[in-house]
Amino acid sequence: NISLQALSLILQISTTLSSAPGASSSKSPASACSTSLRDRFYRTLYASLTDPRLGMSNKQALYLNLLFKSLKADHNTARVAAFVRRFVQVLASGAGAGGAIEFVAGGLYLLGEVGRPNVMTSYMLAP
């Protein structure tokens, strides 16, 4: 629960920093901080996909919501495609949330909603 709240806060901060007026120039300190924060956030979120504590959590819907918001806010299509691949693996193996049917159904719905055509195309064409 605490790590989910921390990830939500970091997503909000990184989104706010990336939309700040001075963040558009690639040499500004705000841009470098935002990029670093965003990269670390997505690395942590990616690792949390296989976290065994997710199966015992009662906040699975909040986790899926955070994952959805994160994927929709990310403009790096390669990273989104990697998330989609890993999330499909997690759902198919039953590792995510202990294989709970509600989590798998919510995850499949999330993948359908993310549905950026270029992401799904790159996922399907990946070796």
Side-chain angles (χ1 to χ4, degrees):
N1 188 17
I2 293 171
S3 49
L4 180 62
Q5 290 175 353
L7 285 171
S8 297
L9 179 63
I10 293 170
L11 174 65
Q12 187 174 5
I13 291 169
S14 69
T15 305
T16 304
L17 282 176
S18 66
S19 65
S24 59
S25 70
S26 61
K27 298 189 184 209
S28 72
S31 175
C33 177
S34 174
T35 303
S36 173
L37 181 67
R38 196 174 322 117
D39 289 344
R40 292 180 74 181
F41 166 76
Y42 282 108
R43 188 177 322 122
T44 304
L45 187 63
Y46 189 83
S48 74
L49 286 172
T50 57
D51 192 342
R53 294 176 296 173
L54 188 56
M56 296 172 278
S57 173
N58 59 355
K59 305 288 187 201
Q60 294 171 359
L62 290 175
Y63 180 79
L64 290 174
N65 187 32
L66 173 68
L67 187 60
F68 174 73
K69 287 179 182 178
S70 302
L71 293 178
K72 285 302 247 186
D74 195 7
H75 299 293
N76 184 343
T77 56
R79 183 167 45 210
V80 173
F83 264 96
V84 168
R85 282 190 210 112
R86 175 56 60 96
F87 194 52
V88 168
Q89 289 174 347
V90 166
L91 292 175
S93 70
I101 294 171
E102 299 85 10
F103 186 79
V104 173
L108 291 174
Y109 183 79
L110 178 144
L111 290 173
E113 287 297 313
V114 167
R116 293 181 187 169
N118 56 353
V119 172
M120 290 298 158
T121 303
S122 66
Y123 170 70
M124 296 300 186
L125 297 177

